[in-house]
Amino acid sequence: MSFSRQIVPGFLLAAASVAQADSVSPSSVIETYGNIAQAGYTDALTTAMKLHDSVVQLTEAPSEQALNNAREAWHAARVPYQQTEVYRFGNPIVDDWEGRVNAWPLDEGLIDYVDASYGNESEANEFYTANIVGSPSIAINGQTIDASTITPELLGEELHEAGGIESNVAIGYHAIEFLLWGQDLNGGEAGAGTRAYTDYDLENCTNGNCDRRADYLKAVSELLVTDLGYMAAAWETGGDARMALEAMGEEGAVTAMLTGMGSLSYGELGGERMQLGLMLHDPEEEHDCFSDNTSVSHYYDGLGIQNVYTGQYKDLNGELVTGPSLMELVAAKDAALAKELATDLQASVDALQVLVVSQNEGQAYDQLISEGNAEGNALVQVAIDALVDQTSNINRAVTALGVSGIEFEGSDSLDNPNSVFQ
C-alpha cells in the first residue's frame, strides 16, 4: 500500500494542477493512475466482502429485512467498482478479467426460474432456460456437468459462458443482482424486480429449490470477493497490473489511460449502454435491469473517467487519493485544451447526475428510455451527447501528447445507426 491519502478540497487541487503543469512528469502521472486503481479495486473488494456477509445472513436467517440489507450492500458495492471500469480497454489484464465480474447482458433463465413471458427457447442460446438452480446436472457440448453441489468453481469454471455463449452469465454483479431482485417485469413502467425473501426460506419456500438457490447466491458472492481480491492485489506495488503498466513504457501507459477514457466515454457507455437502449426503447438494454440502479452505475462510470483525468479518487472513507494528473500533463502541452476537456468531463458527470436525481425522484432509467417519454428520452440524450463531445477533446489530448496507435471502442448505435434496425 504505497499511495498517499489526503483530504484536499477539489478547487485547491484544480488550482494546484494549473500551477504544477510545467513540472509534472509522465512517470508521476502514471504512478497516480496506478494508485487510484489500487484504491478503487481495494474499495470494490471491501464492499464485495460486506455484500457476501449480508448474503450469508440472508440465507441463514431469511427475512424481508435481511433481503433489503443484501440489496443495499449490492448497491454500495457498485459505487467503487463502477469507478474502476475506466481501467478496461487500455489494460489487457483488466479487460481479460472483467467478464468475470460485470458481464452483461445476461440470459437469466440460465440461472433460475423465469416468468412465462421470457419464453422457453432461443435460437441463439440453447441454455436459455437451463435453470442451474433447478437442475442437478446440465449437458454442455455433449458432456454432462454434475451440478448437484453448487460451488464457486462450478459456476466460474464450468457454467459461466456455457457453450461459449457470452449471454450465459453465471457469475458477477449481475448474477447476484438477479438472485436478489428477480426479473423486472414492469417494462417501461415504474418498479424493479420483486423477488421475495421466501425464495431463500427453507421453512416456507417459494418457487422451489430454496436450498440450491441459497447455495448459488453464497457461491457467486464468494467468487466475486475472490475475483476482486485478485485485481486489488494486481494493482499493488509489484503486482501484475502494475508490472504490466511499467512494461508499457511511459508512452504506452499514457496511451492506456487515454484509451480507457475514450473507449468508455464513446463506444461502451455512450453507445452500447445508452444510445442503443434509447434507440430501441428497450428495458432489456438497461445495464442494471433487475434492480433499476442503472442511472447510478452510469454516473459512477462517468466519475471514474473524470478521476483518471484529474488524478483524484474519493475513497470509501471520504479521503482523496491524489497526485500529479493527466490534466497537468495535457496542460503542459496545451493549457486551453486541458481546461476544455476538464469542462467537458464535468458536463458529462453533471448530465449523468441528472439521471440519478430522476431515479431518486421515482423515474428509473428504463422509464427514461421508454417509447413516448419525450422528456425522459431527452435527458438521456443530453448525457449521451456530453459523453460523445468529451471524446472529441480526448482525441485532441492524444494528439497534443504525441501518443499514437489509439483506437477507441466504437458502437453501431453511434457509428452506423441504421444497422441497429436491420
Side-chain angles (χ1 to χ4, degrees):
M1 300 286 283
S2 62
F3 54 82
S4 62
R5 296 174 188 266
Q6 308 169 39
I7 300 177
V8 184
F11 68 90
L12 291 180
L13 283 168
S17 295
V18 173
Q20 297 166 4
D22 291 338
S23 60
V24 68
S25 67
S27 62
S28 64
V29 172
I30 295 164
E31 182 177 4
T32 302
Y33 176 72
N35 291 344
I36 290 175
Q38 182 186 354
Y41 283 114
T42 299
D43 284 350
L45 171 61
T46 298
T47 52
M49 293 170 70
K50 292 179 179 177
L51 170 60
H52 178 64
D53 288 345
S54 69
V55 159
V56 171
Q57 291 170 15
L58 168 64
T59 56
E60 291 182 349
S63 68
E64 192 70 40
Q65 185 60 54
L67 178 59
N68 287 336
N69 290 345
R71 287 172 172 173
E72 285 305 309
W74 186 90
H75 279 301
R78 294 295 281 169
V79 171
Y81 175 74
Q82 289 302 111
Q83 292 178 78
T84 68
E85 284 218 288
V86 70
Y87 286 83
R88 293 180 54 192
F89 311 107
N91 296 283
I93 191 173
V94 177
D95 233 8
D96 292 345
W97 160 92
E98 181 271 344
R100 294 184 61 82
V101 295
N102 199 40
W104 166 91
L106 69 160
D107 288 341
E108 59 266 29
L110 172 77
I111 297 174
D112 198 2
Y113 72 88
V114 288
D115 185 76
S117 60
Y118 177 85
N120 295 316
E121 59 184 5
S122 163
E123 292 183 358
N125 185 4
E126 62 182 300
F127 307 104
Y128 188 63
T129 54
N131 190 357
I132 297 168
V133 166
S135 307
S137 67
I138 296 174
I140 299 177
N141 296 333
Q143 179 183 1
T144 299
I145 304 297
D146 180 3
S148 57
T149 301
I150 299 177
T151 65
E153 293 75 21
L154 173 74
L155 299 177
E157 305 305 325
E158 299 194 69
L159 298 178
H160 185 52
E161 297 187 352
I165 300 169
E166 287 188 359
S167 61
N168 285 330
V169 177
I171 60 177
Y173 287 103
H174 296 297
I176 298 170
E177 179 192 7
F178 172 56
L179 287 166
L180 292 178
W181 274 271
Q183 290 178 289
D184 178 355
L185 301 173
N186 301 294
E189 302 298 321
T194 58
R195 187 185 292 277
Y197 77 88
T198 49
D199 273 12
Y200 295 97
D201 189 343
L202 303 186
E203 303 299 324
N204 186 31
C205 180
T206 49
N207 297 301
N209 303 301
C210 286
D211 53 345
R212 286 180 57 81
R213 187 172 298 110
D215 288 344
Y216 196 125
L217 183 55
K218 286 186 290 186
V220 73
S221 62
E222 180 183 338
L223 187 56
L224 181 66
V225 170
T226 300
D227 285 332
L228 287 168
Y230 163 76
M231 191 51 65
W235 284 98
E236 291 181 355
T237 301
D240 290 345
R242 290 274 195 159
M243 297 294 286
L245 192 66
E246 183 178 334
M248 293 178 189
E250 290 184 351
E251 181 175 343
V254 172
T255 296
M257 297 168 72
L258 291 163
T259 300
M261 290 176 60
S263 293
L264 184 57
S265 295
Y266 188 77
E268 183 65 25
L269 182 56
E272 293 301 295
R273 296 188 188 181
M274 296 183 72
Q275 188 69 65
L276 181 60
L278 180 59
M279 292 173 68
L280 298 174
H281 303 294
D282 183 358
E284 291 298 312
E285 293 294 335
E286 184 187 21
H287 193 234
D288 296 355
C289 67
F290 307 115
S291 62
D292 273 354
N293 186 58
T294 300
S295 293
V296 173
S297 285
H298 288 350
Y299 168 77
Y300 283 107
D301 266 340
L303 190 62
I305 298 168
Q306 187 182 50
N307 291 345
V308 166
Y309 186 63
T310 59
Q312 302 177 35
Y313 168 72
K314 183 180 287 186
D315 72 8
L316 291 177
N317 298 317
E319 296 183 2
L320 279 175
V321 177
T322 184
S325 68
L326 184 59
M327 180 167 64
E328 293 170 63
L329 208 57
V330 175
K333 299 291 185 181
D334 187 333
L337 172 60
K339 290 181 180 177
E340 282 184 48
L341 181 50
T343 300
D344 285 351
L345 295 171
Q346 187 60 55
S348 68
V349 168
D350 290 345
L352 291 166
Q353 175 69 42
V354 170
L355 307 186
V356 176
V357 171
S358 174
Q359 177 173 310
N360 292 339
E361 292 177 348
Q363 190 165 209
Y365 193 81
D366 52 2
Q367 297 169 266
L368 292 177
I369 65 172
S370 64
E371 191 167 15
N373 184 353
E375 185 176 345
N377 288 188
L379 292 180
V380 175
Q381 191 64 60
V382 167
I384 295 169
D385 291 345
L387 290 164
V388 171
D389 287 348
Q390 74 189 27
T391 309
S392 296
N393 273 332
I394 295 172
N395 256 321
R396 290 181 60 204
V398 169
T399 302
L401 292 172
V403 295
S404 59
I406 292 184
E407 291 186 11
F408 297 154
E409 291 286 319
S411 169
D412 283 344
S413 63
L414 297 172
D415 301 324
N416 187 16
N418 289 334
S419 69
V420 172
F421 300 104
Q422 293 175 353

